[in-house]
Amino acid sequence: MINIEKNDAGLYVIGNEFFSAEENTRGTRDKFWLVPGQESSYPRMLFKCNRSEKTCENWGEIIASAIASRVNVPCVTYVGASVLENGEVKTGVICESYKNNSEISELSGYSLVSAVANHIYDNSIDMFYTGELNTVDGFINCINQYAKFMECEIDANEIEQCRNDLIKQALFDFILLQADRHWLNTTFLLAKSDSKISITKSKCYDNGCICFLKRKLEGVQGISTQIKAEIRKRKQSDSLKYQLEKYIPFFGIKTTLVKFDSKTYSHNSMIPRIVSCGDPEAKEMFLEELTHEILNNPEIAHFYLGLKQKLNYSKETKTLDLSDIFQSLQTPQDIIPEGVEYLVNQIMNYQVNTIDELIKVKRAKIVQQKEIEDEEQRSV
Amino acid sequence: MKIALYIKELTLGYLEYNNNYYFTADESNIQVAFKKYPIDMMLFSLNKAQTKEYKYVPQNFLQYLEATAREDLRLKADIKDEDSEFVKLYKLAGLKICPENFGIRQA
């Protein structure tokens, strides 16, 4: 836990170092940049305050970044922090920027979608782009449209790598039940060299809303206790199953271009503002997309198997074992609230089993299909 | 009251309000910015005419307008419910803000 204190001169102090503050206007959470002095060896750091003292979002950030680091998903590292300001203590997390080079430009999903939408408007192009962006390929198509509109060349291999990185992030999000992966929470980094533009996906950030940890602590503990009681009685939790079947979070990039205000047809309303995957069908499609990638894309298959292995998956019990990760995060000063570890464990195991079951069904269908084809060939 | 829109060290123009929004572009700075920061400027779409009129808040200011709803920023910038959209933006521009692709400040 890093303790930060605001002094009488309005500067923030960490140990013997002084930082000035710069506001960060993104998102809904109270947050600001800590800017070090010119001679300081510290980087710029972002302090993100919990929405309320009673939520576990700080632990969401810390746990997600520890798991990401274990399974090789590039992610900003979050550390617990508190700020003492005007006699009030704010709890949250601190992290470095995902952009470590000021020469690199960033293109958030929001800017990307807005640029494409504006280009359509400015050039009076009919709304030909009616594709939903709630698939990775929909979003990748948007990058291609962007490059075309801006008359710049982006290497196809780099776009393919961005696609794979997005799918890995989407899988990671699904397994951790990420509820906040909207278009401002996915960014690409652009650098210009000669006439070409190089594009990479930035590290993951803003992962606090995993595994229901956005809820208040008593809510988290309530669900956790209920699941524990059900499993003790019946070896499975109906309430967890119910919660996860009913729950439709913003997995992956769930953005749409078609929900603009067609009545006013104004410049403003052309900018898509609704982030949604709010129906069970979209959720099903998302799972379908992920399992399709695992079965057909070697890089993603390798990533998924590696993820399970690195999280100590046991074939016998069909469970992940995250205890070593939780142990490494806990110190006498930073005690993970009761119920959090249990809930994260249960949710991640449920999600991995959901993926595995669908893969099993799909594989069985492929085998069946193959047998039918072989049979037909034999009879011919 | 004017709100300056800038990228790095270059002011790209000024936003004012009089029933509609008016953005007065600094054409020479915009030309320099396109040469110096081509990637970031790909997202810039206001340089169609020296003065452009908008019914709604222009796109490059939109994210900042959304930020005027955030409680901590409202408190720091003294933004009130009864303030107009433009005044909210102007007050926010008075804070020291880490710029996104484009920054705003009071002019």
Side-chain angles (χ1 to χ4, degrees):
Chain A
M1 169 80 86
I2 295 175
N3 296 309
I4 306 163
E5 205 171 319
K6 191 177 181 185
N7 69 12
D8 295 339
L11 293 172
Y12 291 86
V13 188
I14 304 175
N16 296 322
E17 294 277 342
F18 294 91
F19 297 80
S20 57
E22 260 182 29
E23 301 304 334
N24 178 303
T25 53
R26 267 194 191 184
T28 53
R29 277 165 73 180
D30 183 344
K31 63 183 85 149
F32 59 88
W33 285 100
L34 292 155
V35 184
Q38 281 186 339
E39 313 245 306
S40 173
S41 57
Y42 275 78
R44 283 167 68 92
M45 292 181 289
L46 183 70
F47 174 74
K48 285 175 76 181
C49 188
N50 278 4
R51 233 170 284 262
S52 128
E53 281 307 300
K54 291 171 185 163
T55 68
C56 303
E57 284 164 291
N58 52 338
W59 282 109
E61 296 280 20
I62 296 165
I63 293 164
S65 83
I67 295 173
S69 157
R70 173 70 67 87
V71 303
N72 297 338
V73 168
C75 181
V76 170
T77 302
Y78 288 89
V79 178
S82 72
V83 170
L84 175 62
E85 190 174 336
N86 306 325
E88 193 193 338
V89 179
K90 291 175 177 170
T91 312
V93 286
I94 200 166
C95 66
E96 283 183 45
S97 171
Y98 53 77
K99 196 174 87 169
N100 53 12
N101 179 347
S102 61
E103 295 305 307
I104 287 175
S105 305
E106 58 181 299
L107 178 71
S108 70
Y110 179 94
S111 303
L112 179 65
V113 173
S114 300
V116 173
N118 273 314
H119 182 85
I120 291 168
Y121 174 77
D122 286 343
N123 295 284
S124 308
I125 299 170
D126 288 339
M127 280 301 287
F128 66 91
Y129 193 96
T130 53
E132 295 275 334
L133 298 178
N134 59 10
T135 63
V136 167
D137 283 332
F139 206 79
I140 289 294
N141 187 20
C142 208
I143 295 181
N144 283 323
Q145 295 280 4
Y146 171 80
K148 201 168 128 195
F149 295 159
M150 304 303 173
E151 292 170 355
C152 63
E153 198 185 325
I154 301 180
D155 190 286
N157 291 333
E158 285 182 357
I159 293 188
E160 186 58 28
Q161 192 52 53
C162 282
R163 182 183 185 278
N164 280 340
D165 290 343
L166 278 170
I167 294 164
K168 286 176 194 171
Q169 176 182 277
L171 249 174
F172 178 72
D173 285 346
F174 182 83
I175 293 169
L176 276 106
L177 203 72
Q178 173 59 257
D180 197 28
R181 186 68 67 208
H182 55 75
W183 53 21
L184 272 173
N185 285 347
T186 290
T187 290
F188 300 91
L189 302 176
L190 302 173
K192 196 168 165 45
S193 58
D194 303 326
S195 61
K196 279 190 177 174
I197 285 178
S198 139
I199 185 167
T200 48
K201 193 190 148 303
S202 83
K203 289 178 178 179
C204 293
Y205 56 90
D206 278 359
N207 302 308
C209 299
I210 57 159
C211 298
F212 298 135
L213 298 184
K214 188 182 170 182
R215 294 183 187 191
K216 289 193 173 162
L217 182 57
E218 55 261 38
V220 169
Q221 288 173 340
I223 311 171
S224 173
T225 310
Q226 194 181 352
I227 295 170
K228 213 179 268 184
E230 285 170 355
I231 289 178
R232 210 178 295 132
K233 255 192 217 165
R234 295 190 292 273
K235 302 242 184 249
Q236 63 169 30
S237 168
D238 291 340
S239 65
L240 179 68
K241 190 168 183 275
Y242 175 74
Q243 290 257 16
L244 295 187
E245 275 176 4
K246 192 183 67 165
Y247 189 61
I248 305 167
F250 300 148
F251 290 133
I253 302 155
K254 298 296 151 194
T255 298
T256 173
L257 252 185
V258 291
K259 287 178 184 165
F260 65 96
D261 184 359
S262 55
K263 280 181 201 152
T264 55
Y265 207 71
S266 68
H267 188 82
N268 242 6
S269 58
M270 283 302 292
I271 297 164
R273 305 192 66 165
I274 296 167
V275 180
S276 167
C277 72
D279 64 85
E281 210 177 292
K283 188 176 169 181
E284 210 173 287
M285 265 175 61
F286 184 56
L287 187 56
E288 178 64 34
E289 187 186 12
L290 290 180
T291 48
H292 177 84
E293 290 295 330
I294 293 170
L295 287 167
N296 297 287
N297 181 339
E299 186 169 334
I300 301 304
H302 190 255
F303 168 75
Y304 182 60
L305 290 175
L307 176 145
K308 284 168 70 177
Q309 193 190 14
K310 284 165 193 155
L311 299 179
N312 311 312
Y313 183 78
S314 154
K315 279 182 185 166
E316 284 73 40
T317 58
K318 292 186 178 170
T319 52
L320 306 169
D321 180 2
L322 307 169
S323 55
D324 55 338
I325 291 180
F326 278 93
Q327 244 170 28
S328 70
L329 294 176
Q330 188 135 287
T331 67
Q333 290 80 38
D334 294 318
I335 296 166
I336 300 173
E338 203 189 323
V340 168
E341 181 176 348
Y342 186 77
L343 190 62
V344 172
N345 254 306
Q346 291 299 324
I347 289 174
M348 286 182 68
N349 276 303
Y350 186 94
Q351 296 294 84
V352 165
N353 283 325
T354 305
I355 292 173
D356 287 348
E357 274 168 33
L358 188 56
I359 288 176
K360 209 168 141 189
V361 171
K362 282 186 168 183
R363 275 207 181 119
K365 270 188 194 163
I366 293 168
V367 171
Q368 204 181 12
Q369 186 61 36
K370 182 91 176 53
E371 280 171 2
I372 293 169
E373 280 169 13
D374 287 350
E375 187 61 43
E376 277 173 1
Q377 263 196 344
R378 270 197 295 273
S379 58
V380 169
Chain B
M1 280 195 290
K2 286 182 186 177
I3 302 170
L5 181 76
Y6 67 93
I7 180 167
K8 311 273 165 97
E9 76 287 4
L10 296 168
T11 299
L12 302 171
Y14 302 93
L15 185 72
E16 290 171 275
Y17 184 77
N18 183 11
N19 291 324
N20 279 344
Y21 290 90
Y22 293 91
F23 184 80
T24 310
D26 184 327
E27 291 287 357
S28 60
N29 273 0
I30 287 171
Q31 280 176 21
V32 176
F34 266 107
K35 282 190 186 138
K36 221 169 159 187
Y37 310 115
I39 299 176
D40 300 82
M41 288 299 283
M42 282 176 188
L43 299 171
F44 184 76
S45 56
L46 299 171
N47 62 329
K48 296 281 152 65
Q50 205 160 21
T51 301
K52 198 167 179 182
E53 186 181 326
Y54 294 94
K55 192 174 171 191
Y56 301 96
V57 178
Q59 189 220 338
N60 289 306
F61 294 86
L62 256 191
Q63 283 186 53
Y64 290 109
L65 182 64
E66 283 167 17
T68 61
R70 221 171 76 193
E71 209 45 54
D72 60 317
L73 296 172
R74 286 172 74 91
L75 203 68
K76 285 174 187 165
D78 191 29
I79 293 168
K80 297 191 168 64
D81 285 345
E82 59 271 26
D83 289 337
S84 67
E85 218 173 42
F86 182 77
V87 170
K88 283 177 183 168
L89 254 183
Y90 181 78
K91 284 185 175 178
L92 184 78
L95 296 177
K96 196 175 177 197
I97 301 172
C98 170
E100 293 290 322
N101 299 79
F102 303 101
I104 59 167
R105 62 171 167 250
Q106 289 180 355

